[in-house]
Amino acid sequence: VIVECFYRGHTVAEAADRLGVPPGTVKSRTYYALRALRDTLQTMGVTP
Amino acid sequence: VTEPGCPRVGDAGSYLLGALSPADRASYAEHLDGCDECLHEVGRLAGLPGLLAHAPSDEPEPDPPPDLVPGAAAAIRRYRARRRLVGAASVVVLAGIVLGGGVLFGRIAGAPGPQPVALPVQMQQVSAEPVNAQVGFARKDWGTAINLRCRLDRGSAAAPEVYVLVAVAGDGSVQELARWQARPGEDANISTATDLLPDQLRALEIKADPSGSTVLRTEEV
């Protein structure tokens, strides 16, 4: 979802279509991906 | 990490990546005004898109446009053509200096060997179409080599049409030398030839097809 929504610049609806999942799933996965990334960075000592 | 209580906190990620539709985006921005939890979450994640933009990911590039490779190839061809032209022009300048001047550039453009001829002659506009062309001639034992660059302005509203380069001989007879699609904003670079020698050529014309109207003309052969 990060690749589709950020790097490829698709909207949630477009990403949902391309990935074959509901738009709500794209949103929640995007949210959890960013949270996981932030948590990972924090454990590495980086504070974005 | 607190478990999200607001049902819309999941929108925070897509919001920050700019992936929400305009309506969703406006709606969520409005929601942020009244929801501390979402506002807090957006604030905590706000630095990540900037980091993502720097990531040397395997997939950072958007899908390349389908015309990328042909477009790049065309750009390289244009660049090389320009370099050759510059090269040919400098040969002409050198030759002019060596010969002590007195010879017009265009007249000897084709003289030094196999390089493409320079394009010293500006063709005269005959119609209202926003098109221009430069042409160069080289006298050969077998006739005349002709190089042409023709450009239709990008803003041209002219209907898609085909341009035809014709040579008009001294006796009034006409030879078709080349034809191509006139595309606004694109150079057509054409190399062609005729069996007529320069002194047998009365004029060179570019005509539109199928209307047959003359667009450009030159008698400086």
Side-chain angles (χ1 to χ4, degrees), chain B residues 37 49 51 85 113 146 149 151 190 205:
Chain B
E37 184 188 345
L51 286 177
L85 269 180
I146 297 170
R149 179 173 57 219
R151 187 177 184 86
I190 288 154
E205 293 182 349

Side-chain angles (χ1 to χ4, degrees), chain B residues 186-198:
Chain B
E186 281 181 37
D187 283 355
N189 290 295
I190 288 154
S191 295
T192 184
T194 170
D195 60 313
L196 297 168
L197 294 166

Side-chain angles (χ1 to χ4, degrees), chain A residues 1-3 5-8 10-13 18 26-28 30-32 34-35 37-39 41-42 46 48, chain B residues 1-2 4 9-14 17 19-20 24 41 44-45 48-49 51-53 55 57 59-60 62-63:
Chain A
V1 291
I2 301 292
V3 167
C5 290
F6 187 70
Y7 291 118
R8 292 192 173 142
H10 293 304
T11 64
V12 167
R18 289 168 64 108
V26 171
K27 287 185 191 176
S28 60
T30 303
Y31 172 59
Y32 287 115
L34 288 185
R35 269 195 14 177
L37 178 59
R38 181 196 62 198
D39 292 347
L41 287 171
Q42 274 175 348
V46 182
Chain B
V1 178
T2 53
V9 76
D11 285 11
S14 312
L17 296 190
L20 291 181
D24 279 0
E41 208 53 26
R44 299 220 307 166
L45 299 174
L48 291 168
L51 286 177
L52 288 175
S57 158
E59 283 272 20
D63 291 338

Side-chain angles (χ1 to χ4, degrees), chain B residues 29-111:
Chain B
E30 200 174 308
H31 171 76
L32 283 177
D33 279 343
C35 178
D36 285 346
E37 184 188 345
C38 282
L39 192 59
H40 179 66
E41 208 53 26
V42 166
R44 299 220 307 166
L45 299 174
L48 291 168
L51 286 177
L52 288 175
H54 288 97
S57 158
D58 289 342
E59 283 272 20
E61 298 295 332
D63 291 338
D67 59 349
L68 180 64
V69 170
I76 290 166
R77 275 198 302 276
R78 281 196 297 276
Y79 172 70
R80 287 181 175 160
R82 205 156 51 231
R83 262 200 337 196
R84 277 198 302 272
L85 269 180
V86 170
S90 50
V91 168
V92 169
V93 170
L94 274 178
I97 292 166
V98 168
L99 293 173
V103 188
L104 287 174
F105 281 3
R107 302 302 171 189
I108 59 163

Side-chain angles (χ1 to χ4, degrees), chain B:
Chain B
V1 178
T2 53
E3 280 309 304
C6 175
R8 298 197 67 178
V9 76
D11 285 11
S14 312
Y15 175 75
L16 284 169
L17 296 190
L20 291 181
S21 69
D24 279 0
R25 181 177 180 79
S27 154
Y28 191 66
E30 200 174 308
H31 171 76
L32 283 177
D33 279 343
C35 178
D36 285 346
E37 184 188 345
C38 282
L39 192 59
H40 179 66
E41 208 53 26
V42 166
R44 299 220 307 166
L45 299 174
L48 291 168
L51 286 177
L52 288 175
H54 288 97
S57 158
D58 289 342
E59 283 272 20
E61 298 295 332
D63 291 338
D67 59 349
L68 180 64
V69 170
I76 290 166
R77 275 198 302 276
R78 281 196 297 276
Y79 172 70
R80 287 181 175 160
R82 205 156 51 231
R83 262 200 337 196
R84 277 198 302 272
L85 269 180
V86 170
S90 50
V91 168
V92 169
V93 170
L94 274 178
I97 292 166
V98 168
L99 293 173
V103 188
L104 287 174
F105 281 3
R107 302 302 171 189
I108 59 163
Q115 290 97 337
V117 282
L119 306 174
V121 177
Q122 181 78 35
M123 293 185 77
Q124 303 296 310
Q125 266 184 288
V126 183
S127 75
E129 284 195 44
V131 59
N132 64 78
Q134 297 82 40
V135 63
F137 306 91
R139 183 192 182 95
K140 303 286 183 186
D141 294 337
W142 41 258
T144 306
I146 297 170
N147 267 20
L148 174 81
R149 179 173 57 219
C150 181
R151 187 177 184 86
L152 183 62
D153 276 0
R154 187 175 297 279
S156 168
E161 54 188 6
V162 170
Y163 282 166
V164 184
L165 178 69
V166 299
V168 183
D171 62 5
S173 65
V174 171
Q175 267 185 8
E176 179 176 318
L177 300 180
R179 53 195 300 134
W180 66 96
Q181 291 175 22
R183 296 181 173 229
E186 281 181 37
D187 283 355
N189 290 295
I190 288 154
S191 295
T192 184
T194 170
D195 60 313
L196 297 168
L197 294 166
D199 50 4
Q200 296 172 307
L201 274 170
R202 182 195 296 171
L204 218 56
E205 293 182 349
I206 294 175
K207 292 174 176 292
D209 188 53
S211 72
S213 61
T214 302
V215 180
L216 292 162
R217 177 180 170 88
T218 184
E219 294 185 2
E220 288 184 61
V221 180

